[in-house]
Amino acid sequence: AIPDVKMLLVVRNPIDCIVSDIIHEYAVGSMKDEEMADINDIIISLAEQNNETGDFLPHVFNLTKYNLMYEELSSVFPKENILVVNGDKLIEDPQPEIKRVEDFLKLPSFFNEVSFYYPEGSQFPCFKHGNKQTCMRGDKGREHPTLKKETLDLLENIFQPMVDKLEEQTGVQLHGFRDKFGE
């Protein structure tokens, strides 16, 4: 291991990850030529298909096993060299989370409150410095549908233990992760 390496583990709402991945696959991914069924039916069906192994959307679910990622990183690197960054806060209020990253990496402060702005209709902040402005690509931030209570209950049962374990390990909270999708 490289003794002085600093690791950033960016985590975000796991339901958001699942929904985003499904929508992406139908918009521009491997299922772009198919009509998308109701997202609740897709999620329930995928959960039932993967029930024997416990994996839910395996390629996506593995990306949301944040507590296991943290355990793996901390088995190789000192915990003080790992910063868990709340990706939801990076979207909602980026400056304080960026400040945490700058401090952790011992970088001089570069970003401030005026470094970020939200163009009309955008869910993601854009960055500006002097005369330069940069925004994420237009295919980011697709509209997410409302999920049925049954679907949210299923996802909460899958993700809540991981979210609780991550908070226990790191102090990072992803509370209310189902609120965004409720009816």
Side-chain angles (χ1 to χ4, degrees):
I2 305 168
D4 296 328
V5 71
K6 299 284 186 176
M7 303 295 296
L8 300 176
L9 174 60
V10 181
V11 300
R12 58 186 277 247
N13 179 330
I15 295 175
D16 220 351
C17 291
I18 294 290
V19 171
S20 290
D21 191 67
I22 291 169
I23 291 170
H24 174 82
E25 288 302 315
Y26 280 94
V28 297
S30 63
M31 308 192 67
K32 67 182 175 196
D33 296 327
E34 297 181 33
E35 186 174 331
M36 186 171 148
D38 180 82
I39 195 154
N40 295 284
D41 295 339
I42 294 170
I43 291 170
I44 299 293
S45 173
L46 288 168
E48 289 170 357
Q49 289 173 19
N50 293 297
N51 198 29
E52 302 84 45
T53 63
D55 279 342
F56 174 75
L57 277 177
H59 65 287
V60 177
F61 189 62
N62 287 333
L63 296 175
T64 58
K65 290 182 178 178
Y66 304 132
N67 62 311
L68 298 179
M69 288 181 197
Y70 180 78
E71 287 172 12
E72 189 70 27
L73 286 172
S74 63
S75 73
V76 177
F77 302 101
K79 289 181 181 179
E80 60 271 9
N81 288 16
I82 304 167
L83 178 67
V84 179
V85 179
N86 187 323
D88 295 326
K89 288 183 179 179
L90 277 176
I91 294 168
E92 297 162 9
D93 186 15
Q95 199 279 325
E97 204 67 8
I98 292 290
K99 177 72 174 135
R100 286 183 63 233
V101 172
E102 289 173 334
D103 291 347
F104 174 73
L105 297 174
K106 296 183 177 26
L107 296 172
S109 290
F110 181 80
F111 293 100
N112 57 45
E113 295 81 19
V114 298
S115 299
F116 305 96
Y117 70 98
Y118 293 83
E120 188 175 326
S122 178
Q123 297 175 17
F124 293 99
C126 293
F127 309 94
K128 62 182 174 180
H129 181 68
N131 294 333
K132 292 188 174 197
Q133 297 183 16
T134 305
C135 295
M136 296 181 84
R137 297 185 326 253
D139 65 345
K140 293 291 186 184
R142 292 182 187 96
E143 187 73 25
H144 285 186
T146 299
L147 299 178
K148 294 177 183 174
K149 182 182 181 322
E150 172 190 15
T151 307
L152 285 169
D153 290 346
L154 170 73
L155 292 173
E156 185 173 42
N157 286 336
I158 291 169
F159 291 123
Q160 193 65 57
M162 178 275 299
V163 167
D164 292 343
K165 181 69 174 174
L166 179 72
E167 182 178 354
E168 178 185 310
Q169 293 168 312
T170 68
V172 171
Q173 299 177 350
L174 295 174
H175 294 299
F177 63 88
R178 77 181 264 158
D179 297 346
K180 175 179 179 178
F181 296 96
E183 295 185 87

